[in-house]
Amino acid sequence: MRAVNGLTCDALLGGRLAIRQPEKGYRAGIDPVLLAAAVPAGAGQTVLELGCGVGAASLCLGARVPDLRLTGVELQPAYAELARENARANGIALDIVTADLVALPAPLRAQGFDHVIANPPYHLRERGSAAPDPGRETALGEATPLAAWIDTAARRLVPGGRLTLIQRAERLPELLAAIDTRLGSIEILPLAPRVDRPAKLVLLRARKGGRGPFRLHSPLILHEGFRHERDGDSYTMAISAVLRQGAALPWPK
């Protein structure tokens, strides 16, 4: 969509949401939509998103599950303000706190949440070049270690609360190494672009105080066919329902 004052207005969930975001900064793609669809939240529960950006994941979750009490933490003031505006424009209650996730304000540290969700930066800067746009670099280039994200999430979860997180598949070893004994019942769902292609992303679920066995599920395939063969997005029916209709992600039983 054409940019106005450096911002675009983009449709998510088949047009159910309209999200304003920077034309040249960090832009929400399908990852926050998939993250939101993987959260097993129920009506009336509390949800904290760490690093919420313009609010895409929290708002997608709020559009799917009624009566959630949503809170987002965002380091960058400009993105935090866009998240507030997006929440108001879409009629979804979302409290945004502008703060560093490793130095949360006291009122937030006093709260416990049924769910914590996060889409941490994917890239270690010693393994690549920084993005030219500062906002995009902050969102994509890791400055706060994964262990700090996990620690903050574990602290803010109530007993039995759930963490749901999306990350690059190549960083799964670091992600698992960052999880301590406060979190258990860990499940990993790889997301593969096509059949016989390696997973590029993983979704992680864990429960505070969980004692269930570790589970590595079979990959969830995003696109039909072995390669791109036609115009259009070629998403599988299940993934299309997530992206276009706001359906829950088909998590393995």
Side-chain angles (χ1 to χ4, degrees):
M1 183 171 289
R2 184 173 63 88
V4 178
N5 296 326
L7 300 173
T8 63
C9 186
D10 301 285
L12 297 181
L13 307 184
R16 292 175 63 186
L17 293 177
I19 301 294
R20 296 176 72 232
Q21 55 185 339
E23 179 187 21
K24 296 182 179 180
Y26 171 73
R27 294 179 56 77
I30 71 167
D31 297 7
V33 184
L34 295 173
L35 170 63
V39 181
Q45 291 190 316
T46 54
V47 181
L48 172 66
E49 182 180 3
L50 302 178
C52 69
V54 299
S58 288
L59 295 176
C60 285
L61 180 56
R64 177 170 63 87
V65 183
D67 301 322
L68 291 175
R69 286 173 286 170
L70 298 164
T71 302
V73 173
E74 174 52 40
L75 176 65
Q76 302 184 79
Y79 284 80
E81 186 55 35
L82 280 171
R84 296 184 186 99
E85 293 175 8
N86 285 330
R88 288 192 293 267
N90 287 281
I92 296 175
L94 172 59
D95 181 31
I96 300 296
V97 178
T98 306
D100 190 327
L101 65 89
V102 299
L104 297 178
L108 194 52
R109 295 199 307 272
Q111 297 181 52
F113 295 84
D114 299 304
H115 297 271
V116 174
I117 69 174
N119 180 10
Y122 287 161
H123 304 297
L124 290 169
R125 272 300 154 246
E126 61 266 27
R127 300 179 187 173
S129 301
D133 179 83
R136 181 176 174 81
E137 170 59 21
T138 299
L140 294 178
E142 181 178 287
T144 301
L146 279 175
W149 291 73
I150 298 296
D151 178 67
T152 298
R155 290 175 183 274
R156 299 280 60 80
L157 284 169
V158 299
R162 292 180 178 271
L163 168 65
T164 306
L165 183 149
I166 191 168
Q167 183 55 260
R168 295 278 296 182
E170 65 197 47
R171 301 199 64 195
L172 180 57
E174 299 166 65
L175 185 58
L176 293 175
I179 295 177
D180 58 34
T181 56
R182 290 173 293 178
L183 298 171
S185 303
I186 299 167
E187 298 182 58
I188 302 296
L189 179 61
L191 302 176
R194 297 184 188 276
V195 174
D196 289 341
R197 299 279 186 88
K200 292 186 176 182
L201 297 171
V202 293
L203 283 161
L204 177 144
R205 281 184 182 176
R207 182 188 290 271
K208 188 169 183 176
R211 295 293 180 264
F214 174 82
R215 294 182 180 180
L216 177 60
H217 296 294
S218 298
L220 180 64
I221 307 302
L222 302 185
H223 293 273
E224 295 176 342
F226 292 90
R227 61 183 182 274
H228 184 74
E229 295 178 335
R230 61 180 175 82
D231 292 338
D233 55 34
S234 74
Y235 288 114
T236 65
M237 290 182 62
I239 297 302
S240 183
V242 168
L243 300 179
R244 310 295 181 230
Q245 301 164 33
L249 196 80
W251 195 271
K253 299 291 185 181

